[in-house]
Amino acid sequence: MTLNNQNNYKYINNKTIPIVFIHGVGLDHNMWKPQINFFKNYSTLTYDLLGHGKTPFDKDKVSMNDYIEQLSFLINYLNIDKFHLVGFSIGSLIALNYAADFQNKLSTLTLIATTYQRSKKQRQEVIDRVNLAKSNNPISKLALKRWFTDEYLEKNPKIYNEFLKILTKNSKDQKNFIKAYELFAYYKDDVEKIKNVNTKTLVMTGSKDPGSTPEMSKKLSNNLRYSTYFEVNNGKHLCSIECADDVNKNIIKFIVSFNSLYY
């Protein structure tokens, strides 16, 4: 459903506390298919970030505040009082910033594959990829190598082709992708803001994730007041797909341990 020709979203209302999912840079709400299938008996909300999928975006630059306002608008429009929030990659950064500003709205927070306190070298590696994208050099295949293990891609050519198609964009979508990618590349963590988040949080990443490393997630978990850390064995960046069973089981275990999913 497209809301006022702005936000493309899918809301499944099964009369439970909703689980809201935020996707990563260059992707869309469809990345959460394994989670939506797993949580089919619960209320779920997925949506396309500004400039992604079928949600348009026409400003010259995108800011973190733009993404926070987008999420806030959707939550208010759908009259959602309380919800569980799950973010992936830049979606985790959006979720973390939302949590800092709207803690009263969240039951739990789950952060998957989150960058945190990157070194100069780690940040420069992302900036280099942004510059490659700006110069129209193909980065899709490189992304897939970072996101999935070689073994998984060999066994799942359909997934490989599906994500290659998603990452191959027309000129307008490519411009919006670069806007989001630049925000992600230059984003700086507000450590003091993070330390004030009181929401129960699950921090999760793949043991083989080269960009959102276990070391980053452990640091983040340590700086959050009420945090649980889980490392997905043999998972890379998109462990939510490649290791969906482990990810889903840990999300449901975490949510249920603190809050009932039912009203």
Side-chain angles (χ1 to χ4, degrees):
M1 182 182 298
T2 303
L3 175 60
N4 298 334
N5 296 318
Q6 183 66 29
N7 296 303
N8 183 58
Y9 72 93
K10 185 175 182 180
Y11 182 41
I12 301 170
N13 189 355
N14 286 322
K15 306 301 180 183
T16 69
I17 297 176
I19 309 171
V20 179
F21 298 89
I22 313 176
H23 67 78
V25 171
L27 302 175
D28 60 31
H29 76 281
N30 290 304
M31 71 156 281
W32 297 111
K33 284 179 184 176
Q35 285 65 51
I36 300 307
N37 290 335
F38 181 85
F39 290 101
K40 61 186 178 182
N41 294 323
Y42 304 107
S43 299
T44 55
L45 169 62
T46 55
Y47 66 100
D48 292 341
L49 289 171
L50 299 170
H52 290 71
K54 294 181 180 179
T55 298
F57 186 73
D58 297 318
K59 290 167 60 177
D60 291 336
K61 288 187 176 182
V62 67
S63 68
M64 183 57 68
N65 195 52
D66 289 327
Y67 288 133
I68 300 302
E69 288 182 357
Q70 181 190 19
L71 176 56
S72 298
F73 180 84
L74 271 171
I75 294 302
N76 292 334
Y77 179 85
L78 295 169
N79 295 315
I80 295 173
D81 180 52
K82 202 90 171 175
F83 62 100
H84 303 279
L85 185 56
V86 180
F88 164 77
S89 196
I90 197 174
S92 286
L93 299 180
I94 297 166
L96 195 51
N97 278 273
Y98 182 91
D101 294 337
F102 300 97
Q103 299 196 48
N104 62 313
K105 299 291 291 185
L106 297 184
S107 292
T108 64
L109 175 66
T110 298
L111 307 172
I112 304 172
T114 316
T115 57
Y116 187 63
Q117 294 189 327
R118 288 175 285 190
S119 67
K120 288 183 179 179
K121 180 177 181 292
Q122 289 168 329
R123 183 182 300 279
Q124 189 59 50
E125 287 173 352
V126 185
I127 293 171
D128 289 344
R129 292 197 295 269
V130 172
N131 290 332
L132 274 176
K134 281 183 174 181
S135 61
N136 292 320
N137 282 294
I139 63 171
S140 303
K141 292 182 179 180
L142 292 174
L144 291 173
K145 294 280 285 184
R146 293 195 316 275
W147 292 357
F148 298 102
T149 63
D150 292 339
E151 294 80 5
Y152 181 80
L153 290 177
E154 287 172 8
K155 292 178 182 177
N156 296 275
K158 186 177 178 181
I159 293 290
Y160 180 88
N161 291 327
E162 180 181 334
F163 275 85
L164 201 59
K165 185 177 179 181
I166 291 170
L167 291 171
T168 304
K169 303 179 184 301
N170 61 38
S171 58
K172 186 173 183 179
D173 288 342
Q174 180 72 358
K175 287 178 182 177
N176 278 325
F177 162 68
I178 290 171
K179 293 171 194 175
Y181 210 180
E182 280 191 306
L183 173 64
F184 176 71
Y186 291 98
Y187 178 82
K188 293 186 178 179
D189 307 293
D190 188 333
V191 177
E192 291 309 310
K193 191 174 184 180
I194 286 169
K195 287 181 178 180
N196 288 325
V197 172
N198 292 319
T199 307
K200 303 292 190 302
T201 306
L202 171 62
V203 179
M204 193 183 322
T205 199
S207 63
K208 296 182 177 181
D209 191 333
S212 306
T213 65
E215 290 72 26
M216 289 182 191
S217 288
K218 288 174 185 175
K219 285 182 184 177
L220 175 59
S221 185
N222 287 337
N223 279 350
L224 287 162
R225 290 185 179 182
Y226 305 104
S227 176
T228 299
Y229 172 73
F230 179 78
E231 195 167 302
V232 183
N233 191 35
N234 294 321
K236 291 189 85 171
H237 196 52
L238 263 172
C239 56
S240 59
I241 294 176
E242 181 169 353
C243 309
D245 286 346
D246 281 348
V247 170
N248 294 339
K249 287 175 183 176
N250 276 279
I251 291 175
I252 191 68
K253 179 182 176 182
F254 173 73
I255 288 175
V256 170
S257 68
F258 288 110
N259 303 85
S260 170
L261 276 164
Y262 292 93
Y263 291 114

